[in-house]
Amino acid sequence: MEKEPQLDLLQKEVGYFFSDSALLVRCLTHVSYARGKQSSHNETFEFLGDAVLDLAVSDLLMRRFPAKTEGDLSKMRASLVNAAVLAEKGAHLNLGELLRLGKGEERSGGRRKESILSGAFEALLGGIYWDGGYEAARRVVERFFESDIQERTLGQQDYKTRLQ
């Protein structure tokens, strides 16, 4: 990939360095880029990253708020693990600029699409898990979500407040 210095910067920002750089490139390859090519894409790592993220955030919440009920913890997790939040984290890492996209996605602004950015963030977490194991992925999740885990803002709004 021609963006090697940017990939090094990404790994530094994430706090994890891949032992296999081809795996990182796969995490940044959207399915639209891989169509009709021998290249593999990030969908399976997105799937894996989603599961890792749910587990790691659940673990963080239970450790931080051991007296909360399952319902409260579920609401808190949902406020953290959703497409808008994950896309924001992906944008913070400039994942949009690093993604390999097909021409159609490129033309339609795919680098800024919430669904693509959130999927890329999940794929990155899935790749970290695949490359370095759960503990490596958990540390990255903690790094990116610890400041968001504040009782006064997580899942504490009623529907009317959220609508307003």
Side-chain angles (χ1 to χ4, degrees), residues 7 18-29 40 45 100:
L7 294 181
F18 282 79
S19 61
D20 179 3
S21 61
L23 185 57
L24 175 56
V25 171
R26 181 176 170 191
C27 292
L28 297 171
T29 302
S40 56
F45 285 118
R100 297 196 310 172

Side-chain angles (χ1 to χ4, degrees), residues 134-147:
Y134 174 72
E135 187 55 33
R138 190 205 57 78
R139 281 192 305 269
V140 171
V141 170
E142 184 173 19
R143 178 181 180 140
F144 280 88
F145 287 88
E146 184 63 33
S147 65

Side-chain angles (χ1 to χ4, degrees), residues 11-105:
Q11 292 176 97
K12 184 177 181 182
E13 181 75 18
V14 169
Y16 181 81
F17 289 85
F18 282 79
S19 61
D20 179 3
S21 61
L23 185 57
L24 175 56
V25 171
R26 181 176 170 191
C27 292
L28 297 171
T29 302
H30 188 259
V31 67
S32 65
Y33 180 88
R35 280 192 191 107
K37 299 178 181 165
Q38 293 290 10
S39 179
S40 56
H41 54 80
N42 67 4
E43 279 189 334
T44 54
F45 285 118
E46 184 179 338
F47 167 77
L48 184 58
D50 178 59
V52 169
L53 184 59
D54 275 348
L55 176 59
V57 168
S58 297
D59 181 57
L60 287 171
L61 289 170
M62 286 187 66
R63 289 177 193 283
R64 177 63 88 74
F65 307 111
K68 289 286 185 189
T69 67
E70 180 269 341
D72 288 338
L73 292 168
S74 291
K75 288 176 190 171
M76 294 167 85
R77 184 180 62 210
S79 71
L80 289 169
V81 181
N82 61 65
V85 171
L86 300 181
E88 185 179 298
K89 304 236 183 251
H92 173 77
L93 289 170
N94 294 317
L95 292 183
E97 301 305 313
L98 296 172
L99 287 171
R100 297 196 310 172
L101 297 174
K103 290 179 177 126
E105 282 297 346

